[in-house]
Amino acid sequence: MERMSLLDATFLYVEDDATPMHIGGAAVFEGPPPTHDELVSRFEAKLHRVPRYRQKVRFLPLDVGRPGWVDDPHFNIDYHVRRTALPAPGGREELQNLVGRVMSQHLDRARPLWEVWAVEGLDDGRWALVSKVHHCLVDGVSSIDLMSVLFDSESDSPRLEAVPWRPRPEPSAVELFAQSLAGALSPVELVPRVLAALRSPTATLRHGIEAVRAFGSVASKLLPPPVTSLNGPHGPHRRWASAHASLADVKLVRASLGGTVNDVVLAAITGGFRDLLISRGERVEGRPVRTLVPVSVRAEHERGTYNNRVSPVFADLPVGLSDPVARLANIRAQMDGIKESKGAVAGERLVDLAGFSPPMLLAAAQRLATLIPQQTVNTGTTNVPGPQHPMYFAGRRLIESTPIVPLLASVRIVVGIFSYDGHLYFGITGEYDTVPDIDVLRRGIEAAMAELLAAARAAPVGVNGAGGAAPKPTGSAGGRDGRPPAQRRESREEDSNADASGGES
């Protein structure tokens, strides 16, 4: 049995009846949809390259050790690859409703923790794949590697045959008991790391100083942000919506106004949350929306591994600023400060320190944490880069791909962003009962991106470029004036000839 990493196990520990911890995506393809046999054979031919998809979770008695992965002797591909259809007219609303229902249902822990739904009946003859994978199996960054296994870069890729597979026997009760004892003595696992630290005292001291600095930068973000309707208890049901932006437009804003692609994305999301809170009658002046931003800390040599290697950083979205350029400048300054203080290191050090706790105590603490209101952040935002060229599944071209991310404890709305083939797709997950206005956020993100694009086109050339200093935050002149979002333009002009130069960062 292969034991889980500490972080992977945590995603199981924090899951409860109202907080399923699976991620996924909604991928829309050109038609016609594949037959069931074509769909299933496609997955069977690829599964040998992702062996975790044939494995299930095995827990140790009394949680005295971290759970592990074992082959499922009863694996059945037809249980995991499913088929459904949308009611007419098969548009955005119908697909969003289906995704919300699918993602509200927990995965069966007695089986491999994934499902894929082939969805027929989309307008214009299109079809979709809605995927659902537990977060303990894969994180957002490495899931892109798994997607590349299932999808092809060419439309005429040859059909592959399934590779024979035989499950390995599950560990016996005696073997599990032995692993339980080893897990209860988990600090022993740290002996090699202690010896390595003694062999390299200078590097150890440098890492320690780095960690202290990082903790200091994170500590200020652990105080509760202003109370808003974005936090509170939630039930098991979900809503989901999607927004879209051109990556060329985002890069044009980046080149003209400064910052990184991620800064521009966060600025657009800030505008969306500003609209949402104003539409709810809540005050936004001087009241930021704090977001958790997971950052991958997986080393280059760890690419392709399954274990999660992510660390959290925190950013305060300046929803009180009506000027879109000022919002971007504010976010740019924050993210630059995080980079300088190495704030992402703090989360990784915390994960390492948690390894000193016996797994049984860690499991109890994580489960207890789900019962305590979490007011440290108002939302979560994760940005994952994808391939910038067309991908295909069974010869059908992938048109768009939008992420689906789980809610955090006491956080009612989260946003995932995925870039693919020159576009950015925003997947917004909301709690069903308390976020009936999820489309206000969706429209607000697109409107905010349109405002940033207009400001970038109007900016003097070479004044606020990516190589220059970040513009200072200003007041509300020239920006949005706080009117209800329905009174402002909800769409933006597509600019297929926008300058897309400059690397994404």
Side-chain angles (χ1 to χ4, degrees):
M1 183 175 73
E2 180 184 352
R3 295 176 65 190
M4 286 187 185
S5 73
L6 186 62
L7 182 56
D8 290 341
T10 298
F11 289 120
L12 283 174
Y13 297 150
V14 301
E15 189 172 54
D16 58 25
D17 291 341
T19 312
M21 290 302 297
H22 43 251
I23 61 176
V28 178
F29 297 85
E30 294 177 342
T35 65
H36 182 71
D37 289 342
E38 188 178 13
L39 183 69
V40 169
S41 63
R42 182 71 180 175
F43 276 85
E44 287 181 326
K46 298 285 188 175
L47 279 176
H48 71 282
R49 300 180 63 182
V50 281
R52 187 75 82 232
Y53 276 32
R54 284 192 177 110
Q55 294 179 324
K56 63 180 181 179
V57 176
R58 186 73 182 266
F59 291 91
L60 298 180
L62 301 177
D63 284 327
V64 295
R66 293 195 301 271
W69 299 100
V70 299
D71 289 349
D72 180 8
H74 305 293
F75 178 79
N76 185 341
I77 188 66
D78 285 318
Y79 175 85
H80 298 275
V81 179
R82 307 179 181 189
R83 203 174 193 92
T84 188
L86 295 181
R92 177 203 292 264
E93 181 178 356
E94 287 76 24
L95 180 59
Q96 290 180 166
N97 290 340
L98 173 69
V99 170
R101 289 195 301 271
V102 169
M103 301 308 288
S104 298
Q105 303 167 8
H106 284 67
L107 290 162
D108 185 354
R109 291 194 177 191
R111 306 171 188 267
L113 296 174
W114 66 279
E115 296 172 1
V116 171
W117 294 73
V119 184
E120 299 182 20
L122 275 69
D123 53 10
D124 298 327
R126 302 173 301 158
W127 63 285
L129 280 178
V130 177
S131 61
K132 185 165 70 170
V133 183
H134 201 283
H135 216 319
C136 73
L137 192 152
V138 62
D139 67 28
V141 175
S142 61
S143 68
I144 305 308
D145 298 329
L146 295 177
M147 186 191 73
S148 65
V149 170
L150 295 174
F151 296 166
D152 301 311
S153 298
E154 304 293 337
S155 60
D156 56 351
S157 298
R159 181 170 179 173
L160 303 176
E161 298 297 328
V163 175
W165 175 76
R166 176 177 297 178
R168 293 170 296 181
E170 291 191 54
S172 66
V174 174
E175 291 170 325
L176 276 180
F177 179 73
Q179 292 199 26
S180 299
L181 290 179
L185 300 175
S186 62
V188 174
E189 299 174 359
L190 298 176
V191 170
R193 291 166 55 184
V194 173
L195 294 177
L198 294 176
R199 286 194 298 266
S200 304
T202 303
T204 301
L205 178 61
R206 184 176 67 252
H207 292 158
I209 295 174
E210 184 180 80
V212 170
R213 292 179 55 200
F215 287 142
S217 68
V218 171
S220 62
K221 300 293 186 181
L222 298 181
L223 297 176
V227 177
T228 70
S229 59
L230 303 177
N231 290 92
H234 52 69
H237 303 296
R238 300 289 179 265
R239 296 181 189 269
W240 184 78
S242 61
H244 167 260
S246 165
L247 186 56
D249 290 349
V250 173
K251 290 184 176 181
L252 176 60
V253 173
R254 170 190 178 275
S256 178
L257 303 180
T260 67
V261 168
N262 192 57
D263 295 341
V264 176
V265 168
L266 288 177
I269 292 173
T270 301
F273 275 110
R274 173 180 169 84
D275 283 358
L276 181 64
L277 294 175
I278 289 175
S279 71
R280 293 179 175 183
E282 298 184 41
R283 184 169 65 86
V284 295
E285 288 75 14
R287 307 183 70 182
V289 169
R290 182 169 300 158
T291 182
L292 169 69
V293 184
V295 176
S296 175
V297 293
R298 183 184 284 110
E300 187 63 29
H301 70 275
E302 294 177 307
R303 288 188 60 82
T305 62
Y306 289 102
N307 285 342
N308 287 275
R309 294 288 291 168
V310 292
S311 184
V313 298
F314 303 94
D316 286 337
L317 305 181
V319 295
L321 298 176
S322 60
D323 182 356
V325 178
R327 290 197 295 264
L328 175 58
N330 184 294
I331 290 171
R332 179 182 178 184
Q334 289 188 63
M335 300 309 289
D336 285 347
I338 290 172
K339 294 171 187 175
E340 292 174 2
S341 65
K342 299 184 179 180
V345 175
E348 185 180 17
R349 296 291 182 265
L350 286 172
V351 170
D352 289 342
L353 290 175
F356 282 93
S357 303
M360 181 171 58
L361 299 181
L362 178 69
Q366 295 291 347
R367 288 167 180 157
L368 179 61
T370 65
L371 304 178
I372 302 173
Q374 302 295 306
Q375 302 294 339
T376 304
V377 296
N378 302 120
T379 187
T381 311
T382 178
N383 189 358
V384 177
Q388 295 308 306
H389 55 82
M391 301 293 289
Y392 300 85
F393 181 91
R396 282 80 166 174
R397 179 169 177 165
L398 174 62
I399 302 173
E400 60 185 71
S401 182
T402 309
I404 307 167
V405 292
L407 296 184
L408 309 172
S410 299
V411 171
R412 291 171 170 169
I413 306 177
V414 293
V415 182
I417 309 98
F418 181 71
S419 60
Y420 164 68
D421 196 21
H423 299 271
L424 284 173
Y425 299 97
F426 300 77
I428 308 165
T429 303
E431 200 273 333
Y432 189 88
D433 296 321
T434 56
V435 193
D437 49 358
I438 193 171
D439 276 340
V440 175
L441 177 57
R442 175 187 66 80
R443 294 192 299 264
I445 291 173
E446 293 181 342
M449 188 61 230
E451 290 182 343
L452 286 167
L453 183 60
R457 288 170 172 164
V461 177
V463 174
N464 293 323
K472 295 180 180 180
T474 60
S476 60
R480 286 193 273 180
D481 56 7
R483 290 176 296 165
Q487 297 180 16
R488 297 195 308 269
R489 182 165 61 92
E490 296 180 357
S491 61
R492 62 173 176 78
E493 177 185 355
E494 287 285 354
D495 183 13
S496 58
N497 297 319
D499 179 15
S501 62
E504 183 177 357
S505 58

